[in-house]
Every structure is written in structure tokens, then in C-alpha cells.
């Protein structure tokens, strides 16, 4: 096997190779300019050694992996300069930097409309992907559209108000774009912080948001506001509850009481201390230390109660491995953990905490119908508007292909006495829902019966507006039954099915329903119509199996209700022909 050494080895290449290698060792930084890329297949074909193996240059933790040349023996040494037909390429003294990547570059203005359209289309299906809301807002900001970026943040937070990352990113955006010396800017940022903790502050993993709010108030010099925030946070079961307690004690011990307490609370504490006996010669600053100890001791009980609440929920929180949305299915253990956690909060928690947990659950389990249904059933007992909003999110965004929850929404609206025209965000068929009879809700159940439109008109409209023949036939069958059973109009119902057969002549269900309707009438007066239905089905392009079934039913009908023996014998002979034809087609071909 050929050697790969750089000096005179077993098959060494001479002094030219050594000079080349020494020159590259002397200027390692220029080497990538000569060989910017390495083809994957180079040096790995037919057992050849790799020409550019990767070596780690010394340099500690920041060492960089660079390709190091090893010259195969069959490569000749560099010829002398006098024998070269072309000079060697010179290495430029300054290598221009690579163009910026798409992450830091600004999108051309003519591409912004297309990018916005793509983002909007994506969020119409996946509004819980908070990372893409951030990308959308960053794109608008880089494009110089600060107002559009703020609108994107507002849309994203309206879609997923429990996203800590999105709230923090929005607040950072406001801090970088607003004038910090303007009082209105300070009020706006404080208002956003309040909206953030009101929407997501009860989340078990909301610690970063609370800490950011506390640090911002401290930077503004509002120490009393910091104390008020700690008072709210110390009663909030969060993951870092113990850390917040330590931070609160540091806040109390390192600041004067008059700066961190309201005048009313400070006066009350002093009056309480004045009622207690003091030492004869109090030390300087003893009053402040006593106030600090009293402030901490008063909140010690709140911290203990909060610690107990955290302990009750800790195992459930540990079982949540994927709190964010993803299209991949969740593990069974996580689904079971969500069910148990919800059952616990429903039995022991407050209404606000139950709502927050349900919102967290439908983010991680957005594609699971059972959790949406459980959420709506809970809200129906408390707020109609809230239940309607959850139905709208589930059916409009996350579960457009699930007919059961659409039916539950329709039943909910009917129970509220709403018609299709007046119900806010009424249930509609999603444009991407497959139009098949199997997953299409039954029309009389899918629309409230209190509507001014009659079921017949609604069914006719549905059949006329459906281009697919199978779905139109489905509505035609429902319409014919409605006309026959409610209006008692056999002629009108027969006309509906006959017109449907003209549009869909190979639909066995239409023939079966027409035949059932004809046989259900007075057979003495309706024998001719029933026989016409049989003849039409047997002359159609139905499969042989379907024709055999209709032929058998014709024989049975004539045996029970026929008025002529000749018709029965003729039908029997034709039925035997159908059986022989089917048997001949099923018979395997004979060999030879």
C-alpha cells in the first residue's frame, strides 16, 4: 500500500513535498483559502487514503478542527520554478469574509409580501408554534417595519398567551425600540409586564417572567413595586419558589424598610413594635432590624403554604416532558400524566388555576380531541363565551378533520338557542376537511332546529353546493327521508332520489333507498314502481355482486307480493343467469 508520509518515507516524494508541507505549516491560516471545501468522495474511492484528514490543532477548549494535508505517494513533487508552465497561485493578503447568513441578513423588500403570506398560512394551521412568531416579528423588524413587528407580537400572544419566551421576546423588543427616558414608554412596558403575569403568571414554569419583571422594577428604582411583586410571587406555586423566597429575604435585608414598604405598612409595623417591651438600651439600627425580621416572619407562613402546594403538584410537573406544541404524538405516559393532573386540579384547584392548566394542556396536546372535549365540558358550566371560544380554536385550527368535536359544537350552539346565522363563530366545514359521507356530520344534527330555514331547504342547499357526487347522494338520501317521513310525500321523495340517480347512476345506496321507499308503500298500488326500480338497478353499471343482491331481492319481492306467476318465473330465470355469470368470472382459468 502506498505511503502517505510527508517526507522521504517508504515511497517518499522528495524535498519538494517537504518544502510544500513546511510552507503550509508556517501559514496555517491561509490553508482554507487554497482548499475551502473538501468533497466527501475525495480520497475515499477504491481504498485510497483520505487526502485531507481532520486534525485538532492545539489551543485548549477553543481549538478548531482544520483539515491537515497528507500527500499520497503517487503525487509528484512540485517542479522547480524554471520548469513550471504556469506560476503557482498567490495567496491574497486579505481574504474577504463570507457573506452574512440568512439569520442575520435583511430580507429584500420585494420578498416580504411572500414571506408574510407564508407565515400567515402556516399560523392558520399551527398557531402554537411560538418560535415562528418570533421569526416573523424579527423579519419585520429587520425589514424596518417596527409597527408590523409589534402587531405580529400581539397576534402571537393572543394565540398563545402562555408562551414565556414570546412574552420575554416582546418585552425585549419594546425595551430596545422605546425611549427609556420617556414616562409613557415606562408605563407601556409596565403595562405589558402586567399583562404577561396576568396571562401566564400562574404557570408553574413562569419563573423567568417574574424574575425579569422584578429586575426591571429594581432597575427603575421602584423598590416598593419590587416588594409588591414578591408578595404576589410568594403565594404562586412555581418551580423556583424557594429561589424566590431567598431573593425576597435578600431584598428585605439589603434595603431600608422605608424604601421597600408602603407608608401604611411601615406605620403599622412600627405601632406593633411599639406595643412590645424594648430593651433598656436599644442598639443603633435595632428598630430597622426588628422591622425586617417582622416583615420576613409575616410572609414565612405564606411561603410554607406555597411550599405545600408546590409539593402536591411536583410529581405531575416532573411528568411533563414536552410542554410545548409538536406534531409528533405524545407518549402514553405523558398523556396519562395530563389526565391525572387535570383530574387533580378539577377536584382541588381554583377556577383560575384550572383554566391555566387546561390552556397548558391543549398546547402540548393540541392534536388530541379528548382534552378539548374535557375543556369545553368544564367551561359550559361556567361561561358560554369561553366554551364557544375553545370550540372555535379546536375546530378552526387544530382539529379541522375531527367530525365528533364539530358535532359537539353544533349541539352546544343548539342548546344555547343559537341559529346558524346568529351563532358567533358558528361551526362550519373546514376547507381542508375531506368531503365524504363517513366524516360529514348529519345535517339535521349539525344545524339547530330552531333555525328559520327548514331542514328541507338546508339539505337542498347542501346537496346543490356539493360538487362531489358521493356527498351529493348522501344529502339526497337524507332529503328524501325527510320529505317522506315528515311531509308524507312519496312522489316528491321519489323525484329526489331519481334525480340523484341521474347524477350518480352507479351508487348502490341510492337504489337501495329508492327500493326501500317503494316497498314500504302500498305494494298493491306500487308494484310497478318497485319493478321499475329493480330493472333500473339491474341495467346499471353496478358491480356483479350488487346486481346479484338486487336480483335476489326482486325474486323475494315477487314471491311475497307479486301479482303474476310469469313475472316471478322470468325473474327467477334471470337470477340464475346472474349467478352463472358471477361464477364464471370467479372461476380460475384452466391450465392447458
Amino acid at each position: 500500500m502506498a505511503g502517505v508520509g510527508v517526507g522521504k518515507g517508504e515511497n517518499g516524494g522528495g524535498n519538494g513535498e517537504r518544502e510544500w508541507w513546511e510552507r503550509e505549516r508556517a501559514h496555517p491560516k491561509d490553508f482554507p483559502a487554497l482548499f475551502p471545501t473538501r468533497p466527501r468522495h475525495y480520497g475515499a474511492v477504491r481504498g485510497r487514503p483520505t487526502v485531507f484528514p481532520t486534525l485538532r490543532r492545539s489551543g485548549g477548549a477553543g481549538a478548531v478542527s482544520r483539515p491537515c494535508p497528507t500527500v499520497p505517494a503517487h503525487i509528484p513533487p512540485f517542479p522547480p520554478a524554471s520548469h513550471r508552465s504556469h506560476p503557482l497561485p498567490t495567496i491574497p493578503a486579505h481574504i474577504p469574509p463570507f457573506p452574512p447568513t440568512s439569520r442575520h441578513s435583511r430580507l429584500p423588500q420585494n420578498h416580504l409580501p411572500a414571506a408574510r403570506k407564508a407565515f400567515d398560512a402556516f399560523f392558520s394551521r399551527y398557531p402554537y408554534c411560538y418560535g415562528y412568531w418570533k421569526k416573523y416579528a424579527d423579519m419585520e423588524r429587520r425589514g424596518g417595519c417596527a409597527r408590523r413587528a409589534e402587531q405580529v407580537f400581539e397576534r402571537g400572544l393572543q394565540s398563545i398567551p402562555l408562551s414565556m419566551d414570546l412574552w420575554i421576546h416582546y418585552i425585549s423588543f419594546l425595551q430596545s425600540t422605546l425611549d427609556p427616558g420617556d414616562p409613557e414608554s415606562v408605563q407601556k412596558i409596565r403595562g405589558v409586564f402586567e399583562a404577561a403575569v396576568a396571562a401566564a403568571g400562574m404557570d408553574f414554569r413562569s419563573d423567568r417572567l417574574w424574575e425579569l419583571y422584578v429586575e426591571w422594577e429594581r432597575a427603575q428604582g421602584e423598590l416598593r413595586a419590587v416588594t409588591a411583586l414578591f408578595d404576589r410571587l410568594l403565594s404562586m406555586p412555581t418551580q423556583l419558589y424557594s429561589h424566590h423566597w431567598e431573593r425576597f429575604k435578600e431584598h428585605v435585608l439589603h434595603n431600608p424598610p422605608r424604601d421597600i414598604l408602603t407608608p401604611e405598612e411601615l406605620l403599622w409595623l412600627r405601632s406593633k413594635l411599639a406595643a412590645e417591651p424594648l430593651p433598656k438600651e436599644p442598639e443603633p439600627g435595632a428598630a430597622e432590624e426588628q422591622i425586617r425580621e417582622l416583615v420576613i416572619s409575616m410572609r414565612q407562613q405564606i411561603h410554607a403554604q406555597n411550599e405545600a402546594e408546590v409539593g402536591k403538584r411536583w410529581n405531575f410537573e416532573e411528568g411533563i416532558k414536552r410542554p410545548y406544541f409538536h406534531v409528533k404524538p405524545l407518549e402514553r405516559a405523558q398523556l396519562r400524566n395530563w389526565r391525572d393532573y387535570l383530574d387533580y386540579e378539577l377536584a382541588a384547584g381554583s377556577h383560575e388555576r384550572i383554566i391555566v392548566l387546561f390552556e397548558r394542556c391543549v398546547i402540548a396536546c393540541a392534536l388530541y380531541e379528548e382534552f378539548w372535549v374535557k375543556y369545553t365540558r368544564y367551561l359550559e358550566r361556567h361561561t358560554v363565551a369561553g366554551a364557544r371560544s375553545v370550540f372555535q380554536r379546536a375546530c378552526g385550527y387544530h382539529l379541522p378533520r375531527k367530525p365528533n368535536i364539530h358535532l359537539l359544537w353544533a349541539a352546544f350552539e343548539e342548546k344555547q338557542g343559537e341559529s346558524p346565522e346568529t351563532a358567533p363563530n358558528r361551526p362550519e366545514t373546514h376547507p381542508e376537511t375531506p368531503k365524504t359521507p363517513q366524516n360529514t356530520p348529519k345535517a339535521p344534527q349539525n344545524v339547530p332546529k330552531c333555525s328559520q330555514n327548514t331542514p328541507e331547504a338546508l339539505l337542498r342547499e347542501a346537496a346543490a353546493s356539493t360538487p362531489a357526487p358521493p356527498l351529493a347522494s348522501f344529502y339526497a338520501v337524507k332529503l328524501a327521508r325527510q320529505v317522506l317521513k315528515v311531509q308524507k310525500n312519496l312522489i316528491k321523495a321519489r323525484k329526489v332520489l331519481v334525480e340523484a340517480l341521474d347524477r350518480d347512476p352507479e351508487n348502490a345506496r341510492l337504489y337501495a333507498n329508492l327500493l326501500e321507499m317503494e316497498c314500504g308503500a302500498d305494494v298493491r298500488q306500487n308494484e310497478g314502481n318497485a319493478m321499475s326500480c329493480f330493472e333500473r338497478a339491474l341495467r346499471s353499471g353496478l358491480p356483479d355482486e350488487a346486481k346479484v343482491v338486487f336480483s335476489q331481492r326482486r325474486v323475494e319481492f315477487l314471491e311475497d307480493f307479486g301479482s303474476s306467476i310469469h313475472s316471478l318465473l322470468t325473474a327467477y330465470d334471470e337470477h340464475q343467469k346472474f349467478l352463472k355469470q358471477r361464477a364464471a368470472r370467479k372461476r380460475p382459468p384452466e391450465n392447458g
Side-chain angles (χ1 to χ4, degrees):
M1 184 176 179
V4 292
V6 296
K8 281 189 176 181
E10 181 180 355
N11 294 312
N15 294 331
E17 297 175 63
R18 181 178 294 276
E19 294 173 0
W20 178 79
W21 171 240
E22 294 295 337
R23 181 169 62 253
E24 295 306 325
R25 289 181 61 189
H27 303 281
K29 64 183 179 61
D30 298 330
F31 182 68
L34 294 177
F35 303 100
T37 59
R38 169 192 172 191
R40 294 183 179 179
H41 61 277
Y42 189 64
V45 182
R46 297 180 182 177
R48 298 178 184 175
T50 303
V51 177
F52 303 133
T54 301
L55 294 182
R56 179 170 290 276
R57 297 182 58 203
S58 61
V64 180
S65 297
R66 290 182 177 273
C68 179
T70 56
V71 183
H74 64 273
I75 297 180
F78 287 108
S82 60
H83 295 82
R84 296 174 189 161
S85 57
H86 299 283
L88 289 175
T90 59
I91 301 175
H94 172 69
I95 301 175
F98 288 102
T101 61
S102 59
R103 180 180 176 184
H104 303 287
S105 59
R106 176 177 295 183
L107 194 68
Q109 290 292 332
N110 57 342
H111 292 175
L112 283 176
R116 291 175 185 137
K117 185 177 181 181
F119 273 117
D120 292 338
F122 177 81
F123 290 131
S124 66
R125 291 295 308 276
Y126 304 108
Y128 284 162
C129 294
Y130 65 90
Y132 286 90
W133 286 109
K134 293 167 59 177
K135 292 177 183 292
Y136 193 0
D138 291 341
M139 180 196 72
E140 295 289 2
R141 183 180 182 181
R142 290 194 301 268
C145 305
R147 178 55 187 161
R148 281 183 174 270
E150 186 173 358
Q151 292 176 351
V152 170
F153 277 121
E154 293 173 355
R155 287 175 54 195
L157 292 170
Q158 188 176 8
S159 298
I160 178 170
L162 290 182
S163 174
M164 308 302 158
D165 290 330
L166 197 57
W167 278 113
I168 293 173
H169 202 63
Y170 180 36
I171 293 169
S172 300
F173 165 78
L174 293 178
Q175 290 176 339
S176 61
T177 55
L178 297 178
D179 183 10
D182 188 1
E184 293 184 359
S185 300
V186 175
Q187 291 299 325
K188 182 173 183 179
I189 295 176
R190 182 175 286 112
V192 173
F193 268 119
E194 283 296 324
V197 296
M202 297 186 71
D203 193 323
F204 191 81
R205 308 186 185 194
S206 60
D207 304 282
R208 285 191 305 144
L209 182 61
W210 284 103
E211 289 183 353
L212 184 65
Y213 194 4
V214 169
E215 293 301 324
W216 182 81
E217 289 288 7
R218 181 178 284 113
Q220 302 299 318
E222 299 290 341
L223 296 182
R224 293 175 181 173
V226 172
T227 306
L229 284 176
F230 273 120
D231 286 338
R232 296 162 63 183
L233 182 55
L234 292 179
S235 61
M236 200 75 64
T238 61
Q239 190 174 22
L240 302 180
Y241 72 99
S242 181
H243 171 72
H244 301 318
W245 173 245
E246 297 298 329
R247 292 287 303 275
F248 169 72
K249 291 193 294 185
E250 293 177 3
H251 169 70
V252 173
L253 295 175
H254 291 82
N255 293 285
R258 63 178 179 276
D259 294 339
I260 64 175
L261 301 176
T262 62
E264 295 79 10
E265 184 179 2
L266 184 60
L267 182 61
W268 181 82
L269 291 173
R270 287 176 176 173
S271 63
K272 185 174 183 180
L273 290 175
E276 298 178 359
L278 297 176
K280 296 181 179 180
E281 296 181 359
E283 299 180 359
E288 288 192 356
E289 291 299 327
Q290 290 179 347
I291 291 176
R292 290 191 178 101
E293 293 177 0
L294 188 57
V295 168
I296 294 175
S297 63
M298 288 172 57
R299 291 163 175 83
Q300 180 70 44
Q301 185 178 1
I302 298 176
H303 170 66
Q305 294 176 354
N306 190 42
E307 187 175 17
E309 293 297 324
V310 171
K312 297 175 183 178
R313 296 168 175 83
W314 191 266
N315 291 334
F316 295 120
E317 293 291 340
E318 285 291 318
I320 300 175
K321 306 300 182 183
R322 197 181 78 186
Y324 53 87
F325 169 80
H326 203 285
V327 295
K328 292 182 179 180
L330 280 169
E331 300 175 357
R332 292 183 179 179
Q334 294 194 52
L335 294 175
R336 182 170 58 253
N337 181 70
W338 278 114
R339 297 187 192 102
D340 296 342
Y341 199 178
L342 288 171
D343 292 340
Y344 167 76
E345 286 291 357
L346 288 171
S350 63
H351 175 69
E352 292 78 10
R353 185 158 296 281
I354 291 172
I355 294 296
V356 171
L357 185 61
F358 264 121
E359 290 293 338
R360 293 177 60 194
C361 177
V362 296
I363 290 175
C365 310
L367 303 181
Y368 292 87
E369 189 177 17
E370 60 171 299
F371 297 103
W372 290 101
V373 173
K374 193 170 188 175
Y375 192 10
T376 56
R377 286 177 178 172
Y378 172 77
L379 286 177
E380 282 186 40
R381 301 192 299 267
H382 295 82
T383 166
V384 174
R388 181 176 289 122
S389 175
V390 173
F391 271 123
Q392 192 274 334
R393 280 189 286 157
C395 299
Y397 294 97
H398 307 287
L399 303 174
R401 297 169 179 253
K402 298 289 187 178
N404 291 334
I405 195 166
H406 286 76
L407 291 173
L408 290 175
W409 187 9
F412 166 78
E413 295 294 354
E414 183 174 355
K415 187 164 56 176
Q416 305 305 320
E418 297 287 355
S419 67
E421 291 79 8
T422 61
N425 298 321
R426 62 185 183 274
E428 297 176 354
T429 304
H430 194 273
E432 297 188 7
T433 304
K435 308 297 185 181
T436 59
Q438 287 76 15
N439 67 355
T440 302
K442 298 180 181 180
Q445 298 178 6
N446 195 36
V447 292
K449 298 180 180 62
C450 60
S451 171
Q452 295 179 358
N453 294 331
T454 62
E456 179 184 355
L458 293 173
L459 287 168
R460 287 187 182 276
E461 181 182 357
S465 60
T466 304
L471 189 58
S473 301
F474 169 80
Y475 284 122
V477 170
K478 298 296 182 182
L479 176 59
R481 289 180 179 177
Q482 176 76 17
V483 172
L484 179 65
K485 300 298 183 180
V486 177
Q487 302 181 14
K488 307 297 183 181
N489 194 332
L490 176 61
I491 298 175
K492 191 175 181 180
R494 181 189 298 123
K495 182 180 179 181
V496 170
L497 291 180
V498 170
E499 291 176 352
L501 282 171
D502 293 337
R503 295 189 300 267
D504 191 9
E506 297 182 3
N507 193 317
R509 187 179 181 186
L510 289 176
Y511 290 106
N513 280 272
L514 179 59
L515 185 59
E516 179 184 359
M517 186 173 57
E518 299 290 0
C519 295
D522 189 353
V523 293
R524 292 174 297 179
Q525 301 179 2
N526 210 35
E527 180 182 354
N529 292 326
M531 294 304 296
S532 299
C533 180
F534 282 123
E535 295 296 332
R536 183 168 184 169
L538 296 175
R539 291 196 308 266
S540 67
L542 292 174
D544 292 342
E545 289 77 7
K547 289 184 177 181
V548 169
V549 172
F550 282 110
S551 178
Q552 179 66 33
R553 290 195 61 183
R554 181 178 64 172
V555 172
E556 294 174 355
F557 175 80
L558 290 174
E559 287 177 348
D560 296 336
F561 308 108
S563 59
S564 172
I565 187 62
H566 300 287
S567 300
L568 174 60
L569 294 176
T570 303
Y572 180 80
D573 293 339
E574 292 182 0
H575 180 62
Q576 296 302 318
K577 292 180 182 179
F578 280 119
L579 292 176
K580 291 179 181 179
Q581 291 176 1
R582 185 180 66 173
R585 293 180 182 179
K586 288 186 176 182
R587 184 182 305 166
E590 297 180 359
N591 296 329

